[in-house]
Amino acid sequence: MLTGKELARAYFDGLKEAYLREGGQELWDHFTSVAHGADQRDLDRLTALYPDIPESLVELLKLADGTYYREYPADKVLLYFLGSDYEGYPYYLLSARQMVETRHKAKEFYDYFVTREYDDIPVDEGVCDDLDKLHWLHFSDCCNNGGTSQLFIDFSPSAKGKKGQVLRFLHDPDEMVIAADSFDEYLQMLMDNEYDFINEDTVEE
């Protein structure tokens, strides 16, 4: 069983290999020459808001503090870093600060999932139905600026869910499903799928 730090490192190294395999050496080299780990103050604020945040996510942020229009001192980074159970969609990693700044996003924009307002919109039964208890960590937006899909770590599941499960929102058709039972399982899924969100098309975008 890998520790959170070991899993994060293994994931990061595997992502590099995926980029190199698909001809993305230049993209990866630019990313690693510009990006740096999260500021400790941002990590402290994030962990204060989410004391159960997975170690593996914290360790990923120590390797790269976001890839979504992230303005680092040397240059801007826009790099696909994650995937999901939904084939064909690459995702960005938000920075620690972005995760803090978007902490109210779920309650503001996805209340209709939680309240089950519409019978025809699929919502996994492991998702809670009480807005007052909602506690999600928004860690990733998809390639369409997050408009089509976003990823959350759910710290407020229903009795049929698991604390720390990863939720995947999809728009048109709308749905909220559990992509993995934990963030570690989510990362392992992407690794087992050989980072299939990195391919010739996504590298050329």
Side-chain angles (χ1 to χ4, degrees):
M1 189 73 164
L2 295 177
T3 65
K5 185 173 184 178
E6 291 169 340
L7 180 58
R9 185 76 246 183
Y11 180 85
F12 191 84
D13 291 345
L15 183 65
K16 174 184 177 180
E17 292 305 314
Y19 267 97
L20 269 54
R21 180 184 70 226
E22 299 297 332
Q25 177 87 55
E26 186 175 345
L27 275 173
W28 187 262
D29 288 347
H30 174 262
F31 162 59
T32 54
S33 68
V34 170
H36 58 67
D39 184 278
Q40 189 59 50
R41 289 169 296 183
D42 290 331
L43 286 176
D44 289 345
R45 189 174 181 204
L46 182 63
T47 54
L49 289 168
Y50 299 98
D52 294 318
I53 185 172
E55 180 189 11
S56 51
L57 178 54
V58 173
E59 292 297 331
L60 280 180
L61 289 169
K62 289 180 180 179
L63 292 170
D65 187 30
T67 68
Y68 184 51
Y69 293 100
R70 175 66 164 90
E71 293 280 359
Y72 288 95
D75 202 358
K76 181 170 69 176
V77 164
L78 188 65
L79 183 94
Y80 297 135
F81 195 88
L82 299 165
S84 80
D85 62 315
Y86 194 76
E87 187 176 352
Y89 273 72
Y91 294 72
Y92 306 105
L93 175 69
L94 300 188
S95 69
R97 186 169 298 180
Q98 286 172 320
M99 292 180 195
V100 169
E101 290 173 347
T102 61
R103 65 189 182 278
H104 301 303
K105 191 180 188 81
K107 188 172 288 188
E108 292 173 358
F109 294 102
Y110 302 132
D111 57 323
Y112 63 98
F113 285 107
V114 178
T115 61
R116 290 10 183 222
E117 185 174 346
Y118 305 105
D119 293 336
D120 58 338
I121 294 180
V123 181
D124 198 288
E125 62 183 3
V127 176
C128 79
D129 59 1
D130 187 342
L131 272 177
D132 292 333
K133 294 180 179 178
L134 199 68
H135 192 44
W136 294 357
L137 192 168
H138 174 215
F139 70 90
S140 182
D141 282 345
C142 80
C143 53
N144 186 25
N145 298 330
T148 301
S149 185
Q150 295 176 325
L151 301 173
F152 302 87
I153 300 177
D154 178 10
F155 298 109
S156 55
S158 74
K160 295 184 178 180
K162 294 184 178 180
K163 188 175 183 179
Q165 62 196 8
V166 173
L167 304 181
R168 189 253 303 149
F169 155 73
L170 183 69
H171 174 58
D172 196 20
D174 284 7
E175 64 178 14
M176 187 73 71
V177 303
I178 297 171
D181 286 340
S182 70
F183 187 76
D184 285 7
E185 285 191 20
Y186 160 74
L187 289 183
Q188 191 62 56
M189 174 184 71
L190 301 182
M191 294 167 69
D192 291 344
N193 290 338
E194 299 181 342
Y195 305 85
D196 58 3
F197 57 93
I198 301 300
N199 52 53
E200 185 178 289
D201 292 335
T202 54
V203 166
E204 289 180 354
E205 287 182 7

